[in-house]
Structures are given as C-alpha cells and as structure tokens.
Amino acid sequence: MPLRVPPAPAPALRSVLTALSSPTAVHEDRTPALLGAQGPATPELPLPVHVLDRVTAQGAAATRLAGWRFHIRLGDRAVAAAETMLTPDGWAFSHFFEGPYVASTERALRQAESVPQAYQPRLLSVPELYMLTLWLHGDCTADAATGHPAATDLLVPLAPAPPGIAAHRPHRVAELLPVLTHRVTPPRLLGSPA
C-alpha cells in the first residue's frame, strides 16, 4: 500500500527552493554533493520532523514538531537533505546535510511501501539517544504537524541506530517506547532515595 506523504507547508518548500537556487541565500556552505551537482537538484519527499522530548515510565511520549526535511534528488537518487525550521516569522531554511540518514531514510521508506496498511510517514528524533526513526503514523488523514505516537504506530530505527537497537526493523510504538524508557532514564544509584 502506498505511503500517504503529507504536504509540506508552502513557505517551507519555498525556503528550500530559494536555498537551492541562490548560493547567496544561505549563510552556510553547500554539501559536497550539492557543490559538484550536474543538473538540477529538486526537493522531494517532505517529511515532518518531530522530536521526542520525553519518555515516561508508562511509555507515553511527548513530541513536538521541529521542522520539515526534504530529500534533495539529483537524477535518480537522493544525495542530500534540506531541513527547515519554524521561526517567529514562519518557516525558514535551516541547513543542507549529507550522511547515512539520507540513504537510511530512503531504504526505510522503500521497505514501508510493502506494508499492507497505509501509513503517514514522519521522522521522529530521540535526541537523548542520538536516534532517528521513520515514524509510520496509522492515521493518514491526521495533521502531520501535530500528534504523538499511537501504540499501534510503527517506528523504524534508521542507521546508525544506538547499540542494541536493530536498524530497519519495524517496532510497534508500544514495544519500542519501553525499551527507550530504560535507556533514557538514568539508573538509580545504590543508597539513593527512590
């Protein structure tokens, strides 16, 4: 079943298109792949990036929208990504980047296409574990900028994943959040109050 990719806010897409078309529009250097690009670079596959701010002992998670990520395609492959962020003035370009998460996201999305149920793809970052997951949200009609992981949603850790968590293996949120809870929660010291 195809994934239902949510539309990105128009100002977020415009900010990426401006950054791609004008080297003076951004204050940072382009990635090596974009510097040596032959042909047009196009942003596609907009994914909302949510941050997991808190994992509780019960596994409930608090998330917030941090930005939108676009894969930058040259020809038939994604060579980089562009990230946008919400500012007081609206959506703005943040930065370009390369690295393993670009290819890992593409791989996870291809795997998700073969799942029989329809999902809305999102990215979920767990900063405390230096972990990024593809979040397959079961409500395809939901506003991509809001919500939290439902127990039946799928999380697919992207490579590189933290030690002990297999990359590209889908987990139900109800299964993975308790594991993350134990990793994020610092262990109690002997003799400390409970």
Side-chain angles (χ1 to χ4, degrees), residues 186-194:
R188 283 188 27 225
L189 299 175
L190 291 176
S192 63

Side-chain angles (χ1 to χ4, degrees), residues 27-45:
H27 300 295
E28 66 174 51
D29 290 332
R30 293 174 183 259
T31 66
L34 292 176
L35 282 173
Q38 300 294 319
T42 56
E44 60 179 39
L45 224 95

Side-chain angles (χ1 to χ4, degrees), residues 38-104:
Q38 300 294 319
T42 56
E44 60 179 39
L45 224 95
L47 295 174
V49 180
H50 292 261
V51 175
L52 184 65
D53 283 328
R54 185 177 71 247
V55 181
T56 67
Q58 295 77 27
T63 63
R64 63 181 165 80
L65 180 67
W68 282 80
R69 181 172 296 173
F70 297 79
H71 281 203
I72 306 300
R73 189 163 296 280
L74 286 172
D76 63 345
R77 66 185 190 101
V79 296
E83 193 131 329
T84 63
M85 62 184 175
L86 191 57
T87 69
D89 295 325
W91 288 101
F93 174 77
S94 175
H95 61 280
F96 291 114
F97 66 94
E98 293 182 27
Y101 286 132
V102 175
S104 187

